[in-house]
Amino acid sequence: MTPVQAQVRTTVLSESQKIEDFIPFYTDDRPESRLLPVVDVAAAIAEDRRTGNPDSRFGIKSSVSFRETDGVFYKTPEQPTVWKLVLHSPGATSLNFVMENLHLPPGSEMYLSAPAGFMVMGPILSEHVFEGIFASDLIWGESVEFTVIFPPALKEEFSIHLTEAVHGYADRASRGFGDSGWCTVDVNCPQGVGWEMERDAVSLILSGGNELCSGTLINNACQDLRSFYLTAFHCIDSNLDSVLSGKELGKLNSWVMRFNYDSPNPTPPTCRGSEPTTWLSYSGAQFRAGWANSDFALLELNGSILNQTSLALVGWDRRDIAPVGGTGIHHPEGDVKKISVDNDTLTIQGWGSNTSAGTTHLRAIWEDGDVEKVSSGSPIFDFNHRAIGQLHGGPPGCQELRGVYGRFFSSWTGGGTNNNRLSNWLGGGNNPNTVNTIRIPRLLPTNAGTLCYGSSQSFTMQNPIPGAVISWQATPASLFATASGNSATAILSPANSLVSGQGTLTFHMGMGNGCNDVVFTRTIWVGKPGMPVTNPLGNPPISIGLGALQTVTITSAPGALYTSGVWWANGSITANPPAAGQAGVFEATSLGTGNFFVQTSNSCGVSPTAGGAMNVTSGGGGMYRIAPNPAREEITVELPDSAPEVTRKILVSGLSGKVLLEIRSVERRIKIPLKALQPGIYLLQVLDAETVFTSKIAVNP
């Protein structure tokens, strides 16, 4: 299935937004925070002053080691398994991390958030993780809460190892914003009108505790939406020896490329605006080619850019000409995106001692804006909106107002081999002189919903690739009245009133010239739901003690919402209370055998009935022994010897559901004090990552 979101969104919440609207199954439950290593901020500031490079570093990197065993698993009857870890670094203005051995099971989601609930990054999905490595963007504040949500049956597949933490020490959480010189111009000022696609291709690069450089997504001749990314060679070559070592290349996996970091509202007279409240981050990239002579590096970002209409791929011109005019788009000093404009013919020159005789670079003299540190690697465009180079360097900001760019023409053939030239990666079958900028396509709607007999639904390819041949197919064909077409819109309806099942819609955009098709897919449910699956199944029958409660959860509901389940029972068990939702709770009311049942539904109708059996025996409590019951002073929950040694949460609540007591313990005999409770009937729950046990208890006068 085509990923709907390959980048990870970071959002700063407004006063009207709630964290639970961004993190599903959000709970205030959280473990005690774990402390990160103490850092010496004064020494770091002194080092910045000594090295003369205080502008781009925002934090101090420390080696850490936190794994899944350092967090806590939570589970309630209505929710999947939730894992949490809270890390704290006193005095930090921001925190960001590198994770290794990160495995997110299918259907799981990870979020990083400020415990105060004002900022969240996520969801982070398995497709965002490359070779087990993921680098996060910044979360403001001195604490970060990690939340991972996944199906209970896949808990054992989850793993994580946090290996690096960066303690932000800048004067404010978002160092970089507002730090560029007075002469820079926000990209959303009037000078940026007409440059919106190019703007959306450019990003800021973060590496560890540094705002490192800028770069841009770049198109190729096949226009196959590969996530090629152009930046400067020296951004990788940290020791500036013109050779990329394995250690330098290894750092690419922990780079973070932050897109859409643009001020949304620059206003006169300064045309400066506020910091954005949302942006997209990409974690990691792979090296494809680079050449120190023209200072280019071509990377490929980890993951897909399909369906991301807030991004674009810039075009380019590889011809040996002196462009008339140039426009640079970049992140000076790590600030929000800026634009610089030269209306005159650019100068062809060399770099270093070969400035006058060389031809590997272009020089721009700005009429509007300027470039500064961290602008390195950003693109310069000609008047046709095609990239013609990437920034190598220039004088300190707001002084001489110029920038020198490695020429795209020189980089095209580079050093003559595939790992030091652009032509092998961007040329395609016909090796054109120019390629245009394109907006990333998207298949709408992003969520297909359910297709019922007598209705139809349209699916449209937004921003199709110019010049592509479009076709679509719906499979299996037996589900659909029309199963293929050759337009940017597919209109689907069920073949008849009896069909039911999951279908797939696939759009192909073909460019020819030996290029691979670009493929978008969408899964669609047709007709009534399929039979739900429960845990436990009830086959073989479930053993339950007289008076105990048994929770049964829907684990799979094809074609239906989990919350649409309707439960009922007969025989020796009753639904307690009669339930509609993902989980049903059944009470053992008499000795013998009982049966539970569940159906799901969608807009097309009701599913077949699923269910199972329960055998009710004496000695209430099932696998847990509860005694004495009734009681007054205290009650003991005793686990069998086979029960795993994990932290369990014991809740005592009123019949209304309000929790009155909560205890956490790893012991097999857990004593629950009852003195604070009034006489009456209560519910006792024992929760761990695998099971939820519920029983009624009585408190005597």
Side-chain angles (χ1 to χ4, degrees), residues 309-356:
T309 57
S310 68
L311 302 181
L313 291 159
V314 301
W316 41 263
D317 189 332
R318 68 178 183 91
R319 293 177 293 175
D320 185 13
I321 57 177
V324 178
T327 298
I329 299 177
H330 52 101
H331 285 279
E333 301 290 3
D335 203 350
V336 291
K337 205 169 294 167
K338 306 289 182 174
I339 189 167
S340 306
V341 180
D342 181 354
N343 294 313
D344 303 315
T345 301
L346 304 185
T347 301
I348 297 176
Q349 65 171 61
W351 179 262
S353 61
N354 200 29
T355 299
S356 58

Side-chain angles (χ1 to χ4, degrees), residues 453-513:
Y453 182 68
S455 64
S456 62
Q457 185 168 3
S458 296
F459 297 84
T460 300
M461 183 58 62
Q462 183 184 27
N463 306 320
I465 300 170
V469 176
I470 300 176
S471 64
W472 60 267
Q473 300 81 36
T475 56
S478 58
L479 287 176
F480 302 96
T482 302
S484 62
N486 295 293
S487 66
T489 297
I491 302 176
L492 300 181
S493 58
N496 55 61
S497 61
L498 301 178
V499 295
S500 176
Q502 182 172 290
T504 301
L505 173 64
T506 304
F507 270 86
H508 289 262
M509 289 188 284
M511 298 303 300
N513 293 316

Side-chain angles (χ1 to χ4, degrees), residues 641-664:
D641 292 339
S642 60
E645 293 185 6
V646 297
T647 300
R648 291 175 172 82
K649 181 164 64 174
I650 297 87
L651 302 178
V652 177
S653 58
L655 298 180
S656 65
K658 182 179 180 180
V659 176
L660 304 173
L661 292 175
E662 177 176 336
I663 294 175
R664 297 176 190 268

Side-chain angles (χ1 to χ4, degrees), residues 103-298:
H103 179 73
L104 298 174
S108 61
E109 301 178 356
M110 181 167 71
Y111 297 84
L112 276 65
S113 61
F118 67 87
M119 192 175 193
V120 61
M121 179 183 184
I124 301 163
L125 310 176
S126 60
E127 58 257 37
H128 303 141
V129 182
F130 183 79
E131 295 183 346
I133 298 174
F134 184 83
S136 79
D137 208 317
L138 278 64
I139 300 295
W140 301 343
E142 57 185 20
S143 294
V144 170
E145 180 173 309
F146 292 77
T147 302
V148 183
I149 304 162
F150 42 80
L154 301 180
K155 165 183 173 289
E156 298 301 326
E157 297 182 22
F158 166 62
S159 66
I160 188 173
H161 184 201
L162 278 79
T163 58
E164 292 182 5
V166 177
H167 172 111
Y169 64 90
D171 293 337
R172 52 189 175 279
S174 184
R175 186 169 193 167
F177 174 68
D179 284 349
S180 61
W182 60 268
C183 59
T184 60
V185 178
D186 275 15
V187 73
N188 287 328
C189 291
Q191 292 89 331
V193 173
W195 292 92
E196 289 79 10
M197 282 206 296
E198 292 74 21
R199 172 199 68 192
D200 291 344
V202 175
S203 83
L204 171 66
I205 302 173
L206 304 174
S207 178
N210 292 276
E211 292 148 343
L212 185 65
C213 283
S214 301
T216 184
L217 287 167
I218 191 160
N219 205 358
N220 64 65
C222 281
Q223 301 193 102
D224 55 7
L225 306 184
R226 286 183 68 173
S227 55
F228 286 125
Y229 185 84
L230 182 68
T231 187
F233 188 95
H234 77 265
C235 295
I236 308 173
D237 184 21
S238 55
N239 63 2
L240 302 180
D241 65 354
S242 299
V243 177
L244 298 181
S245 67
K247 182 178 181 181
E248 288 169 331
L249 291 173
K251 292 181 179 179
L252 294 176
N253 272 334
S254 60
W255 277 19
V256 174
M257 277 60 65
R258 182 191 288 178
F259 291 90
N260 302 148
Y261 188 60
D262 318 330
S263 177
N265 53 3
T267 55
T270 60
C271 204
R272 297 290 178 109
S274 62
E275 187 169 17
T277 57
T278 184
W279 51 85
L280 296 176
S281 300
Y282 241 111
S283 173
Q286 302 303 301
F287 178 79
R288 297 299 178 223
W291 195 43
N293 293 31
S294 62
D295 196 41
F296 92 86
L298 183 71

